[in-house]
Amino acid sequence: MVDAPDEATEPALEEVFYPADRIPFVEWEAFTGGKSTVLLVGAVTILSFLTGLSNLSQSTPATDGPLAVFLSLPPGVVQFGGVLFAFVLGIVTVGLQQRKDVALRAAIVLLPALAVLPLTTFQTTDVPLLLGIVVAYPLLVRNRAQFDQTVDLSPLQIASLSAIGGVGLYGTVGAYALRTEFTGDPLTWGDAVYFVIVTIATVGYGDFTPTTPRARWFALSIILFGTGAFTVAVGALIGPVIESRMATAFGIMTASDLTLLEDHVVVLGYGDVTDSLLDELDEETELIVVTDDAEAASTLDDAGLNVLTGDPTDEDVLVDARVGSASGVVVGSDDDARDVLAVLAAKSIDPDVRVVAAATEAKHVDKFRSVGADEVVNPRSIGGTLLGRSVLDGTAPDAALSDLDDGAGEE
């Protein structure tokens, strides 16, 4: 005797995971979300760079904008401002992509400051940049709650950055104090900063040369301290990024790679049921699979799927998978007991998220419902029903499955 399948199962799956009549590009919420905000800030960065190149190509940039009457910008600021802003905004855009709150604060300050340039020059090439800023800024403010990730620096990273700042301050003050012991005119504060940067970078153009033993020892100390601090900082800051990329190459997706996922489907666990599910949903919506099986994670990553290697029952792992912003959660490994814990973990993070679970045993269906699963599918029962209809009625499995959908839909 075959257990009757849950008649509402298929329509529920259709409703949650197959939004056939949804066009995300037209939907206001999707069009103005975090992804669009990051893309617009990136577009403003590119426009700022192109506008800066346009101003650099002019020997004397025009200043015909409405702010030119009240604000007189030096020609050097007008010419180089766009390019300099572009480099800073490029770093900010990377931070926004990782949902860093410090990047949000920086963007909120930088975009109005950047708008001063096109409002001062107001050339034809400035119009796209100005429009980009006008559109991007309200989206930043509207989606500010989505950029809530703090910058977690290790003690080594903090120490290395502090060392670079300390060497820069030491070199600038020292060079200015010894300004009369260099070739050329006495160094200004700007010259001192320039001398420290080119010395640490080991460029040494030779335009400022120490002429006394004390000044030479001072320059030598900047070289030793500066290059040492810079080398340590590169290892401390770039090393974790390289490790993250290597982890991804082995089928491990880090939390920072998942920060831009919205309205995605989180699949907790990996088994026979979820294997066929992934084939079905891969083209329909964004997926992220959470599994602690390293071999399965590597296989899924090779197939082009998003994978987060971790315990599907661990709430911290589910937070990294952004269960709170997911459109739905599928729980379906081959271990019902563990899947029950996964349902509890998902509901603990977001009680309103829709959870569909696959029970390998019919007797466990009620247990899944009791812990909060919105829908429970028993694949064995459905498979038995299809086999029975096929052998008795001569109905093809695909047609029988369609009948199940129609029957559930009529009720």
Side-chain angles (χ1 to χ4, degrees):
M1 183 175 181
V2 179
D3 293 334
D6 187 346
E7 295 182 347
T9 295
E10 294 298 330
L13 286 172
E14 293 283 344
E15 177 184 352
V16 177
F17 301 118
Y18 295 90
D21 56 347
R22 177 182 178 186
I23 306 176
F25 184 80
V26 181
E27 290 187 3
W28 177 250
E29 291 295 330
F31 185 61
T32 58
K35 286 184 178 180
S36 300
T37 302
V38 176
L39 290 175
L40 279 173
V41 175
V44 169
T45 302
I46 297 173
L47 290 172
S48 176
F49 183 76
L50 295 177
T51 303
L53 290 180
S54 175
N55 291 333
L56 279 173
S57 65
Q58 305 175 32
S59 57
T60 305
T63 53
D64 301 327
L67 291 184
V69 180
F70 309 99
L71 184 64
S72 178
L73 294 178
V77 173
V78 175
Q79 288 181 306
F80 290 94
V83 175
L84 293 177
F85 266 104
F87 282 109
V88 178
L89 280 175
I91 299 174
V92 171
T93 302
V94 174
L96 290 175
Q97 185 179 16
Q98 298 180 353
R99 302 299 176 103
K100 301 299 183 182
D101 55 353
V102 65
L104 171 68
R105 296 191 184 98
I108 288 178
V109 173
L110 288 172
L111 288 184
L114 176 59
V116 172
L117 287 176
L119 288 175
T120 301
T121 56
F122 208 70
Q123 301 300 301
T124 304
T125 54
D126 296 328
V127 175
L129 174 60
L130 189 59
L131 290 177
I133 295 173
V134 170
V135 175
Y137 194 81
L139 288 183
L140 272 173
V141 176
R142 181 180 185 273
N143 297 296
R144 60 187 181 278
Q146 297 189 30
F147 303 95
D148 55 357
Q149 302 295 317
T150 58
V151 178
D152 298 322
L153 297 177
S154 67
L156 177 59
Q157 291 173 327
I158 295 175
S160 61
L161 291 175
S162 300
I164 290 179
V167 171
L169 180 62
Y170 158 74
T172 301
V173 174
Y176 184 76
L178 301 174
R179 58 188 180 278
T180 59
E181 300 181 27
F182 286 82
T183 57
D185 294 331
L187 271 65
T188 64
W189 282 108
D191 294 334
V193 173
Y194 168 80
F195 171 74
V196 171
I197 293 177
V198 298
T199 302
I200 293 177
T202 66
V203 175
Y205 292 115
D207 43 359
F208 295 105
T209 306
T211 58
T212 65
R214 181 172 63 169
R216 293 191 183 98
W217 280 109
F218 169 74
L220 182 62
S221 69
I222 295 178
I223 295 173
L224 293 177
F225 293 148
T227 54
F230 183 77
T231 302
V232 173
V234 168
L237 298 174
I238 304 300
V241 176
I242 296 175
E243 291 176 1
S244 173
R245 294 300 95 193
M246 291 179 66
T248 302
F250 286 98
I252 304 173
M253 193 172 187
T254 61
S256 60
D257 297 322
L258 302 168
T259 52
L260 286 182
L261 285 176
E262 295 176 348
D263 295 329
H264 55 297
V265 175
V266 180
V267 180
L268 302 181
Y270 180 74
D272 295 335
V273 174
T274 50
D275 189 26
S276 57
L277 170 74
L278 296 177
D279 293 336
E280 185 71 15
L281 294 183
D282 188 24
E283 301 297 329
E284 301 290 337
T285 185
E286 289 185 289
L287 292 171
I288 169 66
V289 182
V290 181
T291 177
D292 54 4
D293 186 339
E295 183 177 351
S298 179
T299 301
L300 293 172
D301 184 72
D302 291 339
L305 293 169
N306 296 327
V307 184
L308 179 60
T309 302
D311 186 356
T313 66
D314 188 340
E315 293 184 14
D316 292 336
V317 175
L318 301 194
V319 169
D320 290 340
R322 299 185 63 80
V323 166
S325 62
S327 63
V329 175
V330 175
V331 181
S333 70
D334 296 328
D335 187 342
D336 282 355
R338 199 174 187 199
D339 287 347
V340 168
L341 295 177
V343 173
L344 285 171
K347 285 294 185 178
S348 176
I349 294 173
D350 185 2
D352 297 326
V353 69
R354 187 170 181 81
V355 177
V356 177
T360 58
E361 299 289 343
K363 62 183 180 181
H364 295 152
V365 170
D366 291 336
K367 293 183 178 65
F368 279 101
R369 289 202 176 99
S370 66
V371 296
D374 298 282
E375 297 292 342
V376 184
V377 179
N378 181 216
R380 292 186 179 180
S381 296
I382 295 176
T385 301
L386 294 178
L387 287 173
R389 292 192 180 185
S390 298
V391 72
L392 295 177
D393 303 333
T395 307
D398 291 342
L401 183 59
S402 177
D403 292 340
L404 283 178
D405 291 343
D406 295 341
E410 291 173 359
E411 291 191 47

